[in-house]
Amino acid sequence: MRKIIFIFCFVSCFINNVSAQNFDVSDLVVGGKIGASASKFTSVKCDPMFGAFGTAYAEIYIKKGFAMDIELSMIHKGARNIYYPSSRFDENKVSLGPYEYRLDFLTTSYLAKYYITNNIGLYGGVNASIMFNAKAENNNHSVNIKDQLHRGEIGAAIGVEYVFKNKYTIDARYNFGINKLAKTRLAKDILGNTHVHNISVTFGYKFLVF
């Protein structure tokens, strides 16, 4: 996360024709973002899952340089190359896998954002997500596991946003799930106390409504 913040600050020094933000108290701004995310499970050995990230949001300025955001997002999460020993379920000692877990969420986020300069904003907040798709895949075979996992997720997010020309945004965010993913005994045997963490990078556009 620190590397991403450094890259954003570095890029900001070299973008030409950048104009500072010019939003006043009580201004309402709306916008959208699209990009990519990388996610992992915390309690199992795995590789990150890469997926798409898209969001629409509204931002209202409480005072100069400080805004509150509400966002509605769709995000693909999961993990790759997960193995687990078959000895958990029978007498064999061979590891089973690799498995890919593909999870799709609809997420609402509530964020507080503070602009440390005219163009760089830091933010943090909470989010609530509903899982509407969950599959485990192995050797081109897919199994619906939505009933094995908690469909609701509560999480927290921190991030940095760079705004240029008063309307374009580049955003990097780290989101970590607070509640555990597995719900049933079988899922807990495989995934343990896994939480889902992900990093996203997006490009966006916003405009003043009133």
Side-chain angles (χ1 to χ4, degrees):
M1 187 64 190
R2 286 179 293 182
K3 291 181 179 179
I4 294 175
I5 294 174
F6 174 79
I7 292 171
F8 269 58
C9 294
F10 180 81
V11 170
S12 70
C13 295
F14 291 90
I15 294 180
N16 295 320
N17 300 318
V18 171
S19 61
Q21 291 198 95
N22 191 29
F23 298 127
D24 296 320
V25 175
S26 78
D27 281 352
L28 176 63
V29 176
V30 298
K33 305 173 189 178
I34 57 172
S37 70
S39 58
K40 288 188 72 175
F41 293 170
T42 60
S43 297
V44 293
K45 186 177 180 180
C46 63
D47 292 331
M49 173 69 72
F50 298 94
F53 181 96
T55 185
Y57 68 95
E59 180 175 276
I60 186 166
Y61 285 76
I62 306 301
K63 65 178 184 178
K64 195 71 174 181
F66 183 78
M68 300 296 295
D69 287 19
I70 181 169
E71 299 184 353
L72 181 63
S73 309
M74 288 186 64
I75 183 169
H76 180 74
K77 301 180 184 180
R80 300 168 49 248
N81 292 333
I82 295 178
Y83 292 83
Y84 61 88
S86 62
S87 56
R88 293 184 181 181
F89 308 104
D90 55 44
E91 295 181 354
N92 296 323
K93 302 298 182 182
V94 179
S95 295
L96 302 180
Y99 285 88
E100 291 188 359
Y101 285 77
R102 299 180 177 272
L103 316 175
D104 294 305
F105 289 87
L106 184 65
T107 300
T108 304
S109 302
Y110 306 90
L111 307 170
K113 185 180 297 180
Y114 178 71
Y115 288 92
I116 58 175
T117 72
N118 285 329
N119 300 100
I120 299 175
L122 303 178
Y123 63 84
V126 297
N127 51 60
S129 302
I130 294 293
M131 181 193 303
F132 62 89
N133 181 57
K135 293 181 180 179
E137 297 182 358
N138 172 254
N139 294 326
N140 296 319
H141 178 66
S142 178
V143 177
N144 189 330
I145 58 171
K146 190 165 60 175
D147 293 338
Q148 302 288 328
L149 309 176
H150 289 292
R151 295 187 62 188
E153 180 189 67
I154 301 298
I158 56 174
V160 57
E161 176 189 73
Y162 182 77
V163 184
F164 57 101
K165 295 189 176 180
N166 213 37
K167 56 185 176 181
Y168 301 108
T169 65
I170 302 174
D171 188 288
R173 178 179 305 182
Y174 177 63
N175 184 87
F176 45 98
I178 296 174
N179 58 305
K180 298 172 184 177
L181 180 63
K183 181 176 71 173
T184 66
R185 182 174 181 179
L186 175 61
K188 291 176 182 178
D189 284 341
I190 298 171
L191 298 176
N193 295 323
T194 283
H195 302 254
V196 184
H197 291 191
N198 73 284
I199 296 174
S200 61
V201 178
T202 58
F203 177 80
Y205 176 82
K206 65 180 181 179
F207 59 91
L208 177 66
V209 177
F210 57 79

